[in-house]
């Protein structure tokens, strides 16, 4: 069986500085995988590079054995909640239907079928009562659920989610992880940028530790080790394990200090 | 009868059309936080206009508009290019491009005027616009351009919506984000260029931003927003044209801008929910409820000392003494309206509902 995601020699550079260096990654099908690493390790960039949203200096991505462009329709995406303007004049239902725009193609407008799909996705995330709400009225957790619903209507085989647990309450986190596990049970693959070291073993069965380079990738039992954590996080790992990072900033150009690479 | 005046009809229709286009495209520009792009593009159009004249020697609006469009388009692409390839951020890139292009345009203009004499002074009208110069032919050009813009906007509606809300997701879906971006910007350039002759390069950006800002106050739907923004723009164009024809020596372009600005200011104040007035009323209501709650809690504390709390009237003065602030009497009347207190024997006592509400306020939870 081919891998759900296969990344080869992926390199992304911001100016002369590499943000991701020569990443090789194979994610078997049906896994729930966490991407972990310190701030500026390139976690968000890795997802965006896989999705073709940032220019890459080198490398190739395959989804279920075919080039990314060919199998793009198998991919679903949940961007960081903070990446959009939630005061945009639109409704919850409308946002969720955007997940169907790719399948709809040009010139066709979302109709009754799309509305039904969106409604059932909203029901799944417990947001069906909010369908007609203006999105600016949502709380952080509700925004995250709406983004998840939008990804669900994509009906993808491989999902990439950028910090879906960021700033949500415990109940929503529970609901989201249940949903992710349900997706895995259906044989889908879910790749999640994650921050909380405490919950990795409980939530995920596969993990990739990243710090510009790939530090380690594999089953949580054998990969999520102190040794690997030290390699990824540097000497701060004991501190991190005692006290999980509370409010990690989104990845940007703050790679300074981590793994500056001299080719 | 002014309606029959051919010149006025042309100017009014033309101004309304450009207002419509500017309003609709401006809605997208504002939502995508590109309000300044309109400013940059319109200023950048100036060298295009002058160059078009220098190269062809013609002052036909169509020729000049093509020149303006090319320059405006080049400017907007240059902004995108600067942002993508350098460390310079969008606002700085816009300022940079705006001033360089506009300055270049002014230099070219003075060159033309010196060499060709006073005969070419007409180009100057592009600075602040000269609506009276509009001809029926121009109207046809505008209508055709407007039709093209509306058609593209309709066909690519859902793509433009997604591009404006979440471009990263659009990219993940496989939409050609860069092409769509250029397409939407091109439409904006067309709208701007359409208005240059009437409103001028300096004031055009107001017609892009103001209708959208006004419309945003009234609606939470993108479709309604775009239509309303276009409507505000069209009304402003129409009103500006008519006003300037009725009042002597009133220039059309600036009048249009004054009308649209008035609409925006009114919207900022008066709109329900988002308006400043509505926000003030909300704050005032909240304060009234807070004070009323306070008075109700006081009355509850007094009444609950009696065997029958609903038949234990206390005077207003007592309550005023308990919360020495203005508004106790008004709060009591407000509470009476809500059926929580009742006036008995010259004093106030709780009703059954008031007892429940008071208990909840003082002790929390359900009574």
């Amino acid at each position: 069986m081919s891998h759900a995601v296969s990344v080869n020699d992926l390199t992304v550079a911001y100016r002369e500085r590499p943000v991701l260096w020569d990443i090789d990654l194979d994610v078997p099908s049906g896994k729930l995988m966490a991407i972990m690493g310190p701030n500026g390790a390139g976690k968000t960039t890795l997802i965006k590079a896989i999705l073709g949203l940032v220019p890459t200096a080198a490398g190739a991505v395959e989804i279920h054995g075919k080039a990314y462009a060919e199998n793009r329709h198998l991919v679903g995406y949940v961007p960081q909640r903070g990446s959009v303007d939630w005061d945009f004049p639109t409704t919850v239902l409308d946002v969720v239907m955007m997940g169907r725009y790719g399948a709809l193609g040009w010139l066709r407008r979302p109709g009754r079928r799309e509305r039904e799909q969106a409604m059932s996705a909203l029901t799944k995330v417990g947001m069906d009562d909010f369908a007609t709400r203006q999105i600016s009225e949502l709380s952080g957790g509700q925004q995250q659920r709406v983004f998840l619903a939008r990804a669900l209507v994509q009906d993808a085989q491989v999902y990439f989610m950028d910090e879906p647990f960021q700033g949500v309450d415990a109940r929503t986190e529970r609901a989201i992880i249940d949903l992710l596990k349900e997706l895995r049970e259906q044989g889908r693959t879910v790749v999640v940028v994650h921050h909380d070291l405490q919950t990795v073993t409980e939530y995920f069965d596969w993990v990739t530790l990243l710090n510009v380079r790939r530090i380690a990738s594999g089953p949580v039992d054998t990969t999520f080790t102190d040794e690997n954590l030290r390699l990824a996080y540097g000497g701060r790992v004991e501190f991190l394990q005692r006290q999980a990072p509370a409010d990690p900033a989104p990845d940007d150009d703050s790679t300074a200090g981590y793994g500056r690479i001299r080719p | 009868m002014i309606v029959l005046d051919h010149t006025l009809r042309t100017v009014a229709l033309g101004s309304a059309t450009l207002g419509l286009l500017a309003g609709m495209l401006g809605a997208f520009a504002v939502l995508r936080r590109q309000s300044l792009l309109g400013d940059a593009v319109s200023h950048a159009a100036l060298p295009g206009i002058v160059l078009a004249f220098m190269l062809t020697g013609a002052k036909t609006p169509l020729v000049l508009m093509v020149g303006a469009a090319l320059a405006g388009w080049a400017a907007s692409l240059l902004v995108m290019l600067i942002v993508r390839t350098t460390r310079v951020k969008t606002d700085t890139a816009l300022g940079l491009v705006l001033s360089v292009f506009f300055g270049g345009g002014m230099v070219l203009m003075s060159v033309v005027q010196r060499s060709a004499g006073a005969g070419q002074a007409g180009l100057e009208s592009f600075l602040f616009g000269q609506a009276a110069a509009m001809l029926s032919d121009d109207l046809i050009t505008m209508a055709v351009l407007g039709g093209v813009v509306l058609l593209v906007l309709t066909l690519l509606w859902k793509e433009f919506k997604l591009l404006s809300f979440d471009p990263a997701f659009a990219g993940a879906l496989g939409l050609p984000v860069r092409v769509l971006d250029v397409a939407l910007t091109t439409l904006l350039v067309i709208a701007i260029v359409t208005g240059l002759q009437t409103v001028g390069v300096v004031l055009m950006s107001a017609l892009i931003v103001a209708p959208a800002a006004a419309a945003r106050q009234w609606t939470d739907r993108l479709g309604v927003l775009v239509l309303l923004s276009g409507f505000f723009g069209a009304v402003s164009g129409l009103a500006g044209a008519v006003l300037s024809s009725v009042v002597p020596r009133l220039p059309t372009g600036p009048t249009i801008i004054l009308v649209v600005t008035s609409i925006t200011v009114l919207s900022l104040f008066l709109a329900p929910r988002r308006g400043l007035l509505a926000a003030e009323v909300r704050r005032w209501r909240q304060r009234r409820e807070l004070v009323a709650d306070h008075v109700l809690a006081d009355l509850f504390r007094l009444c609950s000392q009696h065997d029958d709390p609903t038949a234990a009237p206390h005077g207003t003065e007592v309550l005023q003494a308990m919360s020495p602030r203005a508004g106790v009497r008004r709060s009591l009347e407000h509470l009476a309206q809500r059926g929580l207190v009742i006036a008995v024997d010259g004093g106030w006592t709780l009703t059954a509902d008031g007892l429940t509400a008071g208990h909840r306020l003082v002790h929390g939870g359900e009574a």
Side-chain angles (χ1 to χ4, degrees):
Chain A
M1 164 123 207
S2 69
H3 291 294
V5 185
S6 185
V7 177
N8 293 306
D9 304 332
L10 187 72
T11 296
V12 177
Y14 181 69
R15 294 178 191 291
E16 286 79 52
R17 195 174 63 201
V19 182
L20 290 174
W21 187 258
D22 199 19
I23 304 286
D24 290 303
L25 195 61
D26 288 312
V27 188
S29 196
K31 295 292 178 203
L32 194 45
M33 184 180 92
I35 299 180
M36 308 212 51
N39 291 338
K43 303 181 293 292
T44 294
T45 308
L46 176 58
I47 284 193
K48 287 194 165 174
I50 290 173
L51 294 170
L53 299 178
V54 295
T56 56
V61 176
E62 285 184 359
I63 300 292
H64 281 291
K66 279 191 187 163
Y68 177 78
E70 277 178 76
N71 265 347
R72 192 201 304 272
H73 58 280
L74 299 180
V75 174
Y77 178 40
V78 178
Q80 275 184 27
R81 184 161 57 81
S83 65
V84 303
D85 172 16
W86 287 94
D87 196 33
F88 194 85
T90 190
T91 61
V92 167
L93 189 68
D94 220 26
V95 170
V96 177
M97 282 197 290
M98 288 174 183
R100 297 305 301 165
Y101 282 11
L104 266 175
W106 300 98
L107 303 183
R108 286 185 46 213
R109 301 199 159 207
R112 187 216 298 253
R113 211 168 78 98
E114 283 69 31
R115 222 177 346 264
E116 278 165 7
Q117 288 167 323
M119 274 315 295
S120 89
L122 277 172
T123 310
K124 252 198 188 122
V125 299
M127 288 287 291
D128 40 333
D129 290 342
F130 291 80
T132 57
R133 286 284 187 92
Q134 165 65 20
I135 55 169
S136 61
E137 295 167 14
L138 303 179
S139 71
Q142 290 168 339
Q143 293 173 353
Q144 196 64 61
R145 286 163 186 245
V146 169
F147 263 13
L148 274 169
R150 183 176 69 172
L152 287 181
V153 302
Q154 288 188 273
D155 194 21
Q157 290 304 309
V158 186
Y159 281 103
F160 293 92
M161 306 190 178
D162 203 344
E163 302 198 28
F165 302 115
Q166 170 89 54
V168 305
D169 58 40
R171 209 168 53 93
T172 303
E173 178 158 339
R174 195 70 250 163
I176 292 175
I177 195 65
D178 286 346
L179 196 68
L180 300 194
K181 286 181 172 166
E182 193 186 321
L183 289 172
R184 179 180 55 188
E185 245 113 76
Q186 295 163 355
R188 303 174 206 249
T189 312
V190 185
V191 175
V192 177
V193 170
H194 193 59
H195 265 288
D196 187 2
L197 292 162
Q198 318 284 333
T199 50
V200 174
T201 40
E202 183 193 344
Y203 290 175
F204 300 96
D205 49 16
W206 209 262
V207 67
T208 291
L209 291 164
L210 191 72
N211 192 345
V212 182
R213 302 169 192 255
R214 193 198 78 173
I215 306 297
S217 183
V220 169
D221 318 339
T222 54
T223 313
F224 196 65
T225 60
D226 286 351
E227 172 61 20
N228 283 336
L229 281 173
R230 214 178 334 273
L231 282 171
Y233 286 87
R236 303 180 307 155
V237 71
E238 288 82 7
F239 167 74
L240 282 164
Q241 271 177 324
R242 251 183 292 123
Q243 183 188 340
D247 184 27
D251 295 338
D252 47 20
D253 53 347
S254 56
T255 350
Y258 294 115
R260 290 198 125 203
I261 281 161
R262 231 163 270 171
Chain B
M1 191 63 200
I2 50 170
V3 181
L4 295 178
D5 183 329
H6 181 258
T7 313
L8 174 59
R9 203 172 49 200
T10 309
V11 172
L13 273 177
S15 304
T17 309
L18 83 89
L20 179 79
L21 293 182
M24 292 178 80
L25 272 313
F28 281 101
V30 168
L31 286 177
R32 301 174 70 211
R33 301 178 188 280
Q34 287 186 335
S35 319
L36 276 172
L37 187 65
D39 211 12
V41 167
S42 55
H43 279 81
L46 189 65
I49 293 167
V50 185
L51 272 177
F53 171 76
M54 288 169 90
L55 292 176
T56 64
K59 241 168 46 173
T60 333
L62 192 59
V63 173
L64 299 185
M65 270 161 88
V66 169
L70 287 179
W73 200 61
S76 57
L77 290 189
L78 192 60
V79 171
M80 285 186 211
L81 196 71
I82 290 175
V83 172
R84 221 174 35 238
T85 56
T86 70
R87 268 168 202 274
V88 176
K89 299 269 186 287
T90 311
D91 55 342
T92 318
L94 285 167
L96 209 66
V97 169
L98 181 154
S99 43
V100 167
F101 273 65
F102 187 65
M106 293 302 282
V107 168
L108 285 176
M109 195 135 96
S110 65
V111 168
V112 168
Q113 263 159 352
R114 202 166 307 143
S115 63
Q120 320 308 341
L123 284 182
E124 252 176 7
S125 68
F126 275 95
L127 277 180
F128 294 103
Q130 193 181 42
M134 207 183 295
L135 305 170
S136 319
D137 283 356
D138 303 339
L139 206 55
I140 293 169
T141 314
M142 285 168 111
V144 171
L145 285 177
V148 171
V149 168
L150 289 185
L151 185 70
V152 177
L153 211 52
T154 315
L155 292 180
L156 296 179
W157 178 258
K158 74 175 193 300
E159 283 78 11
F160 283 155
K161 184 203 281 186
L162 184 53
L163 177 75
S164 306
F165 174 62
D166 193 348
F169 190 73
L173 287 182
L175 294 180
V177 172
R178 200 160 290 165
V179 174
L180 287 169
D181 195 3
V182 171
L184 193 51
T185 307
T186 306
L187 295 187
L188 183 68
V189 170
I190 292 177
I192 289 170
V193 166
T194 313
L196 289 183
Q197 197 191 2
T198 308
V199 180
V201 296
V202 178
L203 294 176
M204 191 55 208
S205 66
L207 203 51
I208 295 289
V209 178
R216 185 67 189 92
Q217 290 292 106
W218 300 95
T219 179
D220 279 333
R221 296 283 185 281
L222 182 64
V224 181
L225 174 73
V226 171
L227 288 178
L228 195 60
S229 182
F231 174 74
F232 283 156
V235 166
S236 307
L238 200 65
V242 172
L243 275 177
S244 68
S245 82
V246 173
V247 182
R249 300 177 59 82
L250 199 62
T252 308
T255 310
I256 293 175
I257 300 306
L258 284 182
V259 173
V260 77
T261 308
S262 310
I263 293 178
T264 308
V265 170
L266 284 179
S267 302
L268 287 175
F269 276 101
L270 298 181
R273 299 204 321 105
R274 294 179 83 97
L276 294 175
L277 200 65
E280 200 49 52
V281 167
R282 261 199 308 277
R283 216 170 2 250
W284 177 78
R285 281 220 181 99
Q286 269 167 10
R287 239 189 59 206
R288 186 177 67 172
E289 294 303 319
L290 265 171
V291 174
D293 280 356
H294 202 87
V295 172
L296 183 66
D298 285 346
L299 190 60
F300 173 81
R301 287 198 190 89
L302 291 173
C303 292
S304 56
Q305 317 250 328
H306 298 258
D307 293 337
D308 182 1
T310 58
H314 289 81
T316 316
E317 303 78 24
V318 185
L319 290 163
Q320 272 166 340
M322 288 176 80
S323 50
R325 266 173 295 163
V328 170
R329 196 180 300 274
R330 219 176 321 131
S331 295
L332 283 166
E333 277 157 17
H334 177 59
L335 288 168
Q337 267 174 28
R338 286 167 56 193
L340 298 175
V341 304
I342 191 161
V344 188
D345 304 335
W348 297 89
T349 191
L350 296 169
T351 63
D353 284 349
L355 186 65
T356 318
H359 189 277
R360 193 161 46 228
L361 279 174
V362 175
H363 300 296
E366 296 300 310

